[in-house]
Amino acid sequence: MSGTGVGIGQRPETRKQMTVKMLWTGIWLVYLSAPVSDLLHGGHGVVAVVLGWLGLAGFVGWYLALLFRTGRRNAESFVLTSLAVLSAESTLLVLTLGREWLVLFVYVSIASGAALPLRLARWTIPAASALMAGLALLVTDGTEYIGALLIPALLGGFAMTGVRELVRTTIELREARARVAQLAANEERLRLARDLHDLLGHSLSLITLKSELAGRMLPAHPDKAAQQVADIEQVSRQ
């Protein structure tokens, strides 16, 4: 997409697109407040807190890399690998630190919908949601979070596939309009070229005819020959 807009699952190409996408992505990172609050007030040991901060930073860093580096030729393989890494990291953090970290799977689901085509996202979104639900059954009081997170994970993920398809359709429509405009411009140039060709052909034929007449009028009728030469000059100027 041109201008400041940048499509879901597309790599930003300008500084404005980078800024817009960073702001858009940053809004959703506010939902990481649950893991942050757990690290600050969850009563974990020093080692667990340090590892938790490192794990959260690694998750966010990889999540941003996933959203900002898509659009390359190897995009699908990169996205699938990134989703596997994010899922494994989320699983480890949930099992280690508790239920507050289940929210990470919502990001995995949304990233699936944002960066993968529908043919793949329709499998990865339910898989991430199912993994989250399974882990919620394993951790203490995790079942209390299933209802609050499962629906956002599913709806958010599939909503992002819809947005991605909308962006793709919009891009294709713009490209089609640009092609139509280019074809119209080419057709206009061809029309002008045909008109110019016809005009030049007529003018050259007229010049040839008057040149022959002037040649026949010399030397017997120099005045008439001069008039033909003047006509030839006028036609050439026109």
Side-chain angles (χ1 to χ4, degrees):
M1 298 178 66
S2 60
T4 58
V6 59
I8 300 295
Q10 285 194 312
R11 188 184 183 190
E13 298 177 353
T14 65
R15 182 173 297 180
K16 287 185 177 180
Q17 290 181 352
M18 176 70 75
T19 302
V20 170
K21 192 162 188 177
M22 180 64 74
L23 291 175
W24 175 257
T25 305
I27 292 174
W28 298 104
L29 293 180
V30 71
Y31 290 102
L32 292 176
S33 58
V36 171
S37 178
D38 180 61
L39 290 174
L40 295 176
H41 310 292
H44 301 292
V46 176
V47 176
V49 170
V50 171
L51 293 178
W53 281 114
L54 291 176
L56 183 61
F59 180 91
V60 173
W62 202 288
Y63 176 78
L64 293 177
L66 170 60
L67 295 186
F68 281 86
R69 293 184 62 187
T70 51
R72 297 183 172 184
R73 292 182 179 178
N74 60 341
E76 287 187 5
S77 61
F78 174 78
V79 171
L80 291 173
T81 301
S82 297
L83 291 175
V85 171
L86 292 175
S87 298
E89 186 175 1
S90 300
T91 299
L92 180 61
L93 290 170
V94 169
L95 294 177
T96 303
L97 298 175
R99 62 179 186 173
E100 286 78 8
W101 296 79
L102 289 168
V103 70
L104 297 182
F105 284 97
V106 177
Y107 288 90
V108 175
S109 179
I110 290 177
S112 298
L116 282 177
L118 181 58
R119 59 183 176 82
L120 295 176
R122 64 182 179 179
W123 299 106
T124 56
I125 293 173
S129 302
L131 179 57
M132 179 186 67
L135 290 172
L137 298 175
L138 296 178
V139 298
T140 304
D141 297 328
T143 53
E144 298 178 2
Y145 277 45
I146 292 181
L149 296 178
L150 186 58
I151 294 178
L154 289 171
L155 293 184
F158 283 111
M160 294 307 294
T161 63
V163 174
R164 178 186 171 91
E165 290 300 311
L166 179 62
V167 170
R168 182 185 61 81
T169 303
T170 302
I171 293 174
E172 291 179 352
L173 179 60
R174 290 184 179 181
E175 292 176 349
R177 287 178 177 175
R179 285 195 295 269
V180 170
Q182 183 64 38
L183 290 174
N186 291 339
E187 182 63 26
E188 181 65 15
R189 283 194 289 268
L190 288 175
R191 185 188 68 80
L192 292 175
R194 288 194 297 267
D195 292 344
L196 181 60
H197 178 270
D198 295 341
L199 178 61
L200 288 176
H202 173 74
S203 299
L204 290 174
S205 298
L206 183 59
I207 289 173
T208 300
L209 176 61
K210 288 185 174 293
S211 298
E212 292 177 353
L213 289 175
R216 292 176 182 178
M217 291 176 180
L218 290 174
H221 304 285
D223 295 339
K224 293 183 178 180
Q227 181 61 44
Q228 296 298 325
V229 172
D231 292 342
I232 292 173
E233 180 183 1
Q234 182 179 5
V235 171
S236 299
R237 291 184 181 276
Q238 292 177 348

